[in-house]
Each structure stands twice: as structure tokens, then as C-alpha cells.
Amino acid sequence: MTSPPRVLGAQLADGISKGNMWALLFLATAGTAVVSFLPSTQPHILTVILGVPDSDQGTIVGLLGSTAELAMILSLAWYGALADRFGRRLVVVGGLVLCAIGAALFPFAGNTAVLIALRVVFGLGVAAINAMLSTIAIDYVRERSRGKSYGLIGVFGGLGALVAVLVVAKLPQTMEKRGLEPVAAARLSFLLIAAAILIVAVLLWSSLSKVKVDDAAERVPLPRLVREGLVLARDPGVALSYAASFVARADLYVVVSFLTLWISDYATTVRGMSSAEALAKAGAVVGISQMVALLCAPIFGWLGDRMRRQDLLIVAQLIAAGAYLSTLLVSDPLGPGMMVVAVLIGIGEIAGITTAGPMLAQQVPAAVRGAAFGVHTLCGSVGIMIVSFLGGALHDAWRPAAPFVVSGTFGLLVAIFGLVVRHRIKARADEGPARDALTTV
């Protein structure tokens, strides 16, 4: 009997070609770049296009994140149903088209209300990409390779985040250097990005699998999903994973949005840089954090097979909390101190992201995994809404490090909760001898 084909160590499911799997990894890279670029460029649009004062930008950035996340929450169940009925490809391409529309029109917004509406359109596209990325990562590989599949998604997604902050975010500066006025440079840059997104959509339409996945599992309506998922939270391990998801996704949003805002504001108001130059500087610092996250992702995956998952999750939350709270020590966001903090933030960010999901998978059987991961995703979305709203308001009222302090405080609370319940967490029996042995450590 011939062994199934593999891509980078992951065994492919029946009917899935190596080309399909490489298309999935391309989606992880391009999709993450698309998802990451717009939040990182929001300060530039607020400054150059709308002329919003620096003192008000934190609140608006928080509002943009909250409204987009609310739209994503409301669309989750619909995307799952559409994917089951019409296939994964259609939802992926539809999501990319929505992102392209939002990106193309974003720098043409005449006021913050229009900007928020376009951010919602972009957010709906992001929700489709994220939902299908997680789903296809399971569809395309055999059960024994699902861990490898998520690991590969993390690595290639990290590459996409680097492309977003080191290449895409610098386009306005590049256009200005070619002689364009700031407004024209911003608008042309976003139009080019939208065109690139559409090209990605065409490539994925032709390379993702055309086979529809059997609708074996019932698509759970959102209210029922929430009820079933909350019942699962009686298990302390599930509750800990939900809490970690609340913090982990918010951490990622804080890095991309508020770190860029902090550096951009400082570069323009204190150092006298243009908005495009400030955005490029911010991209370099955020790029450092994302590069570190990319390099550390396999390390936390490796540790997840050698430590009890609840212990690793607690350690991850403590690392992330320390990293985010260390921003209180930064007085010059363009100085060497911020580079050290960016490294710590990258480690903390990826630590939180890569430990919450495996913890949940360990605790719930396959029959209820859909409901569990649905609520897991909702917890992350609620985390972004709350942290972005509070962080944005405190950014303007207190100091630029405020959003990071909010994230760090929540991370500490999750770590404390983990320490309280860690000895009550028992992995499912079907996790295997190695995992059972680890639970006795």
C-alpha cells in the first residue's frame, strides 16, 4: 500500500493534491498579509486623508477594531453554512473580493463614519479568510497531521505578516519618493494593493481543491453553538483555553494597530517625519516583532508535545503579560529600548496564539469540537472588541502604552486563573500514552 503524499511532513487527505496544499500555504501567507496590512496603515489614513488630530486617533482606531470585530462575529455562522453548500473556494474568493473593495475605497473615505463602514466591509472579508483558513487546514490533511498543518499555517502566516509590515505598509512612502503628493500616494498604494488581492483571488480559485467536503456534520446555528460551547466551559481546561483565546487574538490586534499608531504619532510629532516615513518606521519595528514570532512558532509547537499543555499555556500568558507591560518602560518608541520590547512582544504574541488552540483540542472530543472552537473564536473576537475599545480610549486619555497595559493585565489574570485550576485539568483518555504520562508530571 502506497503512503499518502506529503507536503513539508503533513500527510494529505484523499483527493487532495500537493498543489492544493501549496495553495493553502499560499492562502496562509497572502491572507495574513491582507488581514494585517490595513490595521497597520490606519494611522496614516487618519492623518493624511482625514486630518484627525493625534489626540483623537486612539479612540478611532479602537472603534474601527471593535465594529469590524462585531461584524466578524455576526458573520461566522453564515460563512460556515455557505462553505458547506457551495464549497470552500467560493467563500475564500468572496472574502478576498470584500477585502479588495474595502482596501480600494478606504483612502477615499470622506469622514470617520464612512471609514468605519469600509472597515466593516474589510472585516467581513477577513472573517471569511480566517474561517476558511482554519477549516481547509483540517480538510486537506489526515487526522494525524492536523498539528503539523496548523504549525505550517502559523509559519506561512508569519511570513505574510512580515510582508504586510515590511513591504505593503511602505508603499505610500515609496510613492511619495516618486513625486506623488501624500494623498495621491496613499490612494494609489491602496488601489495597487486591492488589485494584488484580486490577483491572489484568481490564483486561489484555480489552485484550491474543487472537491466539496461532505456535509457530514450539522452546521450549528450561532445561538446553539454559544450554548453548547459555554456548557463545555464547565471543564476547567476548556475555560482556560477560552480565556487564553480572549487575550491572544486581542494581543495580535494591539501589536498591528496600536504599536503602529504609537510609533507613527511619535515620529511625526516629535521627530518631524512625514506620515509615510513614520508608517515605514513603524513597519520596521512591527516587522521585528513578527519576525521573532515567526521564528518562535515552531519552538512553542515543540514544547507543546513535551509539556503539559496547561503549564505551557500559563507560561505563555506570563511571557506575553511581561512583554506587554514592559511598554511602560519605553519613553522613546524609536529608540533601542523599543526594539527589545518588540522582540519580547513577538515572543509573547506567538506564545499566546500557539498554545490556546491545542489546549482546547486536548479537552474536547471530536463530536463537540465544532461548538468548542466556535466559542473559542467568539472569545477571541470579544477580546479584540473590549481591548481595542478600552485601549483606544486610554491611549488618548492616558498614554500610548495603555492598550498594551490592558492586554498585559488581562494576560496576568488568565495566568492566575490557570495556576488556580491547573491541577484540576485532565486530558482526555484518547490523547494517547505520551499525553497521559505528561499529565502526571
Side-chain angles (χ1 to χ4, degrees):
M1 182 178 178
T2 59
S3 59
R6 295 172 179 259
V7 170
L8 299 178
Q11 291 187 350
L12 304 187
D14 294 337
I16 300 301
S17 69
K18 291 185 177 180
N20 297 150
M21 187 64 185
W22 281 111
L24 168 62
L25 298 180
F26 174 61
L27 170 61
T29 302
T32 305
V34 170
V35 167
S36 301
F37 101 90
L38 192 137
S40 68
T41 56
Q42 287 172 168
H44 183 65
I45 297 300
L46 292 175
T47 299
V48 171
I49 304 296
L50 297 181
V52 176
D54 293 341
S55 58
D56 295 334
Q57 289 191 11
T59 300
I60 295 176
V61 167
L63 184 60
L64 289 169
S66 297
T67 52
E69 207 63 31
L70 178 60
M72 292 170 67
I73 290 173
L74 297 176
S75 67
L76 283 174
W78 291 101
Y79 284 133
L82 288 171
D84 285 343
R85 176 168 296 215
F86 300 108
R88 316 308 195 205
R89 284 193 314 156
L90 182 64
V91 178
V92 169
V93 171
L96 288 168
V97 170
L98 286 173
C99 286
I101 293 171
L105 298 178
F106 207 65
F108 292 91
N111 53 59
T112 54
V114 175
L115 200 69
I116 289 170
L118 292 172
R119 186 69 177 85
V120 167
V121 172
F122 190 87
L124 291 173
V126 169
I129 294 170
N130 286 342
M132 290 305 98
L133 192 57
S134 298
T135 303
I136 298 173
I138 294 175
D139 291 344
Y140 278 17
V141 298
R142 296 177 184 270
E143 186 173 356
R144 71 186 66 178
S145 291
R146 286 178 178 173
K148 289 188 178 69
S149 180
Y150 274 102
L152 290 172
I153 294 298
V155 171
F156 280 81
L159 291 173
L162 284 175
V163 170
V165 297
L166 296 180
V167 179
V168 180
K170 290 185 177 181
L171 272 180
Q173 183 188 32
T174 302
M175 295 299 170
E176 286 186 24
K177 287 182 177 178
R178 295 191 175 187
L180 291 178
E181 293 297 320
V183 172
R187 288 174 173 170
L188 178 58
S189 298
F190 274 68
L191 288 173
L192 290 174
I193 292 166
I197 294 172
L198 292 177
I199 293 172
V200 168
V202 172
L203 292 174
L204 288 171
W205 178 259
S206 62
S207 55
L208 289 172
S209 174
K210 301 174 179 62
V211 177
K212 286 178 60 178
V213 178
D214 290 337
D215 192 8
E218 178 187 359
R219 177 59 57 180
V220 182
L222 188 59
R224 180 179 158 196
L225 179 148
V226 172
R227 288 196 303 270
E228 292 182 356
L230 291 178
V231 169
L232 292 170
R234 294 171 180 170
D235 181 308
V238 173
L240 179 59
S241 178
Y242 287 172
S245 176
F246 176 95
V247 176
R249 283 200 60 210
D251 285 353
L252 179 60
Y253 182 82
V254 164
V255 171
V256 175
S257 299
F258 286 105
L259 189 57
T260 303
L261 177 61
W262 185 0
I263 297 169
S264 296
D265 283 352
Y266 184 87
T268 54
T269 58
V270 178
R271 298 289 183 88
M273 297 181 185
S274 69
S275 181
E277 290 174 331
L279 183 62
K281 287 287 187 183
V285 177
V286 175
I288 290 173
S289 71
Q290 298 307 306
M291 174 65 78
V292 172
L294 173 66
L295 295 175
C296 290
I299 297 174
F300 284 99
W302 179 81
L303 288 173
D305 291 333
R306 286 156 181 81
M307 292 177 62
R308 291 197 304 179
R309 285 176 178 163
Q310 60 265 39
D311 292 343
L312 182 60
L313 188 150
I314 293 167
V315 170
Q317 290 298 321
L318 289 172
I319 292 172
Y324 284 84
L325 291 173
S326 70
T327 57
L328 287 169
L329 304 175
V330 175
S331 57
D332 179 2
L334 292 177
M338 178 57 94
M339 296 300 179
V340 176
V341 169
V343 170
L344 295 175
I345 284 176
I347 298 172
E349 173 195 325
I350 201 64
I353 291 171
T354 56
T355 55
M359 177 77 233
L360 183 61
Q362 166 187 293
Q363 295 302 120
V364 296
V368 293
R369 195 168 288 163
F373 273 95
V375 173
H376 194 261
T377 301
L378 289 176
C379 287
S381 295
V382 172
I384 291 178
M385 289 178 62
I386 292 175
V387 172
S388 61
F389 179 78
L390 286 177
L394 289 173
H395 173 281
D396 293 342
W398 181 34
R399 60 191 298 173
F404 301 90
V405 174
V406 173
S407 283
T409 302
F410 278 125
L412 274 180
L413 293 175
V414 173
I416 292 170
F417 173 61
L419 290 171
V420 171
V421 302
R422 63 185 288 269
H423 290 300
R424 293 166 46 202
I425 297 174
K426 302 295 181 184
R428 292 192 338 271
D430 60 353
E431 281 293 300
R435 182 64 61 204
D436 290 341
L438 286 173
T439 60
T440 64
V441 174

